[in-house]
Amino acid sequence: MELTASGIKDLVSRPTGEVPVTSVFLNTDGAVFPRSADYEARLEGLLRAAVSSAEAGQDRQSAERDAEAIRRWVSDDFNRDGVKGLALWASDGEIFDSLHTASAFRNVARVGETPYVVPLQAMLGRYMHIGLAVIERDSARLFRYRLGRMVEYHSIDSDVPGQSDGGGWSQARIARNVENAVLHHFKEAAEEFRGVHAEDPFDALVLAGTHVEVENFRKLLHPYLAAVVHGTMSGISASSTKEELLEAFAQVEQERVSARRKELLERLAAGAGQAETVARGIDDVISACNERRVETLFVVEGSGSPGFRSGTGMLTKDRAAAQAFGGPVQPVDDLIDEVIEQCVLSRARIELFRDSFRLDGEPIAALLRF
């Protein structure tokens, strides 16, 4: 799978069968686990705990087959080169999806009815998809940066004629031809980049080049793309090294993530006491989730609370409340995980935090749509 909001939704929306899904997230960072035997030993502990958590009978037998398939794949097929985080999903003894990342996951394994996606949301919330357009009069290069990795995604070279040192009418005509060629080049690059943004939107686009060229190019950007322009980078050009580009990307990412969270938390604080705009605490957030009203969900990592799901899909903290919604009632190990998955399906934004300080001590809170 690809670690995007749509990729996570597709994973969660996968049709469920009669047997559970085993989800494993493994830290394979060589700085933490120098030898493959080190992370394989950690994996073994995770798998044993996951199998033990499955209900006795068919579910446990399926989880045991999943565990064996995962062990075999990690031992025989996994290439750790450049991979710090590994996620695997298996069901009925077969691995049906996987993910390699350049950033480490927290080690965790779960057996459940659906794929476990909370670590994906945590990672997605801490990183951004950033584009860098390096604009020159006869070339344009587009770089993508996501989850600590940078790739040159697109490159355009145009046959723009050089300037002439002559004078008179001939020089003026040549100058106009050069200007038209540069303008055509900028329009072509702007349209190409618009198409890239439409397929996989950027959280931010940064422009680099001389001031004149960048400003002329910016005027030609489609409004949807212009809306995510973060600004310009000084000192970045087509000759910049990979290290220089990565450093610039990391700086932009930190600025954008900090600004986004600051704005969302300010909205949460401003809505204090207004049940129509915000929800705080498990009870209020579950109610909003059942009504599909969550726009942005704030969760403290590691928080958990058992509860129940009604036959109509409603989540509650107690069995009687679930029964009131109708249908057979099922216990759930973690209501917060269930809320996260429901919010993924409804395209809500998920923001995960390491502690509850910024949520006034609550494990969960939400901004509401209406």
Side-chain angles (χ1 to χ4, degrees):
M1 69 165 294
E2 185 176 1
L3 185 49
T4 63
S6 60
I8 295 174
K9 182 179 180 181
D10 289 344
L11 184 63
V12 174
S13 302
R14 178 181 179 272
T16 57
E18 296 180 355
V19 293
V21 174
T22 301
S23 307
V24 172
F25 295 85
L26 189 64
N27 183 344
T28 61
D29 188 350
V32 180
F33 301 103
R35 303 172 304 159
S36 60
D38 296 328
Y39 62 76
E40 288 180 10
R42 188 70 185 93
L43 173 64
E44 183 61 30
L46 293 173
L47 292 175
R48 287 181 179 177
V51 170
S52 297
S53 71
E55 293 186 10
Q58 185 179 9
D59 285 0
R60 184 164 297 177
Q61 293 172 4
S62 176
E64 288 173 347
R65 292 194 296 272
D66 293 347
E68 181 55 34
I70 291 169
R71 287 189 193 97
R72 187 168 54 249
W73 190 92
V74 171
S75 175
D76 299 342
D77 300 329
F78 176 50
N79 180 359
R80 183 167 59 160
D81 188 23
V83 178
K84 294 183 179 179
L86 172 65
L88 296 169
W89 293 271
S91 185
D92 202 19
E94 293 187 5
I95 295 173
F96 63 84
D97 216 336
S98 64
L99 175 68
H100 300 66
T101 66
S103 299
F105 285 117
R106 179 173 59 88
N107 291 313
V108 63
R110 293 286 180 88
V111 175
E113 295 180 3
T114 59
Y116 184 60
V117 299
V118 172
L120 302 182
Q121 288 292 352
M123 184 170 285
L124 197 62
R126 292 194 182 107
Y127 295 89
M128 304 196 81
H129 181 202
I130 303 173
L132 167 64
V134 181
I135 306 301
E136 297 185 342
R137 64 189 302 275
D138 57 356
S139 70
R141 301 171 67 190
L142 179 64
F143 296 86
R144 284 182 182 274
Y145 177 83
R146 180 158 46 194
L147 301 172
R149 286 179 173 165
M150 178 189 73
V151 296
E152 183 170 357
Y153 185 80
H154 207 70
S155 179
I156 298 173
D157 294 303
S158 299
D159 187 18
V160 176
Q163 299 283 359
S164 171
D165 294 331
W169 289 105
S170 176
Q171 167 61 16
R173 184 173 63 253
I174 292 173
R176 285 194 298 271
N177 288 340
V178 171
E179 290 175 2
N180 289 334
V182 172
L183 178 62
H184 177 76
H185 162 60
F186 284 172
K187 286 182 176 179
E188 180 185 8
E191 179 58 23
E192 289 283 349
F193 294 173
R194 183 204 63 78
V196 172
H197 179 61
E199 292 177 3
D200 188 5
F202 295 112
D203 294 307
L205 176 67
V206 182
L207 308 179
T210 68
H211 176 74
V212 173
E213 289 167 350
V214 165
E215 289 307 311
N216 288 338
F217 178 74
R218 188 201 291 260
K219 295 174 185 176
L220 300 172
L221 291 175
H222 188 280
Y224 292 153
L225 191 53
V228 299
V229 171
H230 179 72
T232 61
M233 283 185 182
S234 60
I236 297 296
S237 68
S239 61
S240 295
T241 65
K242 178 181 179 180
E243 289 70 25
E244 290 171 334
L245 292 174
L246 285 171
E247 182 178 352
F249 272 123
Q251 177 182 341
V252 172
E253 181 176 59
Q254 180 60 44
E255 292 172 356
R256 293 286 295 196
V257 170
S258 297
R260 182 190 70 199
R261 291 199 162 189
K262 181 175 182 292
E263 187 269 334
L264 290 172
L265 288 169
E266 286 176 348
R267 287 177 57 193
L268 184 66
Q274 302 178 41
E276 69 277 8
T277 61
V278 302
R280 290 179 180 273
I282 294 176
D283 289 335
D284 290 346
V285 173
I286 287 175
S287 177
C289 179
N290 286 336
E291 297 171 0
R292 304 295 189 268
R293 295 180 59 203
V294 176
E295 173 194 294
T296 301
L297 181 70
F298 304 89
V299 182
V300 176
E301 283 189 74
S303 300
S305 175
F308 300 88
R309 184 195 302 112
S310 74
T312 57
M314 298 295 104
L315 301 172
T316 67
K317 286 180 64 176
D318 63 87
R319 182 181 293 274
Q323 290 173 335
F325 282 112
V329 172
Q330 291 181 324
V332 296
D333 294 331
D334 193 337
L335 280 172
I336 290 180
D337 279 355
E338 295 288 332
V339 168
I340 290 174
E341 293 188 10
Q342 289 293 336
C343 289
V344 168
L345 292 173
S346 63
R347 295 186 178 276
R349 179 187 293 278
I350 316 290
E351 295 285 344
L352 285 96
F353 298 90
R354 297 189 184 279
D355 57 62
S356 61
F357 174 75
R358 283 171 288 187
L359 301 184
D360 295 333
E362 296 286 357
I364 192 168
L367 296 173
L368 307 183
R369 289 193 172 104
F370 52 85

